[in-house]
Amino acid sequence: PKTISDPLYGPIDIRPVLPIVGTEQFQLLGERHQLGAAHVVFPSAQHTRKVHSFGVYHQTLEMARRWMDLGFVGEEEVRALAAFGLCHDLGHAPFSHLSECFYEPPGPKEMSVNSRMSIARIREIRGAIEECGVDFDLVLSLAEHRNPLHVAISDKNLGADKLDYLQRDGLVTILSEPS
């Protein structure tokens, strides 16, 4: 099995999404620090957006499976939510929040620059998403926030993105302890 050893969640099975993980767009996240230049002050804050994306994938998959067990979503939504969780940060450039002012991607202006760039990157890897047996149009509807299930990942209060980065960033800046 292909697994990622994660300090928060232990082994994460990535076999269902290997075609996405193998794309250049996803691999570039391994060169993007999740916390920008914070590693200058917090030397252990070396984790990347790639590691964070694996964490969001795991969190989203666990949550979506519980929702499926409760009858809220079906298997197709579970796969799409997990794929979107993995791909949610594809648009982040190096020092992303610091560099946002230097480019203006297409898309609705009410969405962040990084969200609009992520949508463009998700479109580029359509083949890899479909190779995973995931409905591309459903993933795109989540990324574009046209599908209300997008809040599972992007809700500013309890989305999987926030839940992962609060734990992960807190761990490496010694603001929290591993659970």
Side-chain angles (χ1 to χ4, degrees):
K2 299 287 185 188
T3 60
I4 299 299
S5 178
D6 186 86
L8 293 176
Y9 311 118
I12 300 173
D13 182 0
I14 61 167
R15 287 176 294 176
V17 290
L18 276 176
I20 296 170
V21 170
T23 65
E24 178 183 0
Q25 291 85 344
F26 187 81
Q27 289 299 313
L28 282 172
L29 294 178
E31 299 174 14
R32 313 266 194 265
H33 285 278
Q34 174 72 9
L35 293 176
H39 63 280
V40 175
V41 177
F42 299 101
S44 62
Q46 295 286 337
H47 62 290
T48 64
R49 291 211 176 263
K50 182 178 180 180
V51 171
H52 163 66
S53 293
F54 284 131
V56 174
Y57 166 74
H58 173 77
Q59 286 259 15
T60 304
L61 188 58
E62 293 288 310
M63 180 175 18
R65 284 180 176 156
R66 276 184 247 136
W67 288 356
M68 188 173 73
D69 291 345
L70 294 168
F72 297 152
V73 297
E75 184 64 38
E76 186 174 27
E77 287 90 0
V78 170
R79 287 192 307 272
L81 282 163
F84 175 52
L86 185 67
C87 297
H88 80 285
D89 270 355
L90 288 181
H92 281 271
F95 307 105
S96 59
H97 297 293
L98 298 173
S99 64
E100 287 176 349
C101 61
F102 296 114
Y103 55 99
E104 188 59 42
K109 300 302 182 209
E110 63 273 2
M111 292 184 96
S112 73
V113 168
N114 289 320
S115 291
R116 287 182 277 152
M117 288 300 296
S118 289
I119 291 166
R121 298 293 167 265
I122 287 169
R123 288 179 188 278
E124 291 172 3
I125 64 166
R126 178 181 190 138
I129 291 170
E130 290 173 340
E131 193 177 334
C132 296
V134 176
D135 180 337
F136 172 78
D137 292 326
L138 186 49
V139 172
L140 188 61
S141 74
L142 293 165
E144 292 176 339
H145 297 184
R146 291 182 288 114
N147 184 317
L149 289 174
H150 79 87
V151 297
I153 292 92
S154 55
D155 182 71
K156 297 297 181 197
N157 296 309
L158 290 174
D161 178 36
K162 187 166 202 164
L163 292 174
D164 181 78
Y165 79 67
L166 285 175
Q167 289 181 83
R168 193 172 304 280
D169 298 355
L171 177 67
V172 299
T173 56
I174 315 182
L175 298 176
S176 70
E177 294 187 25
S179 50

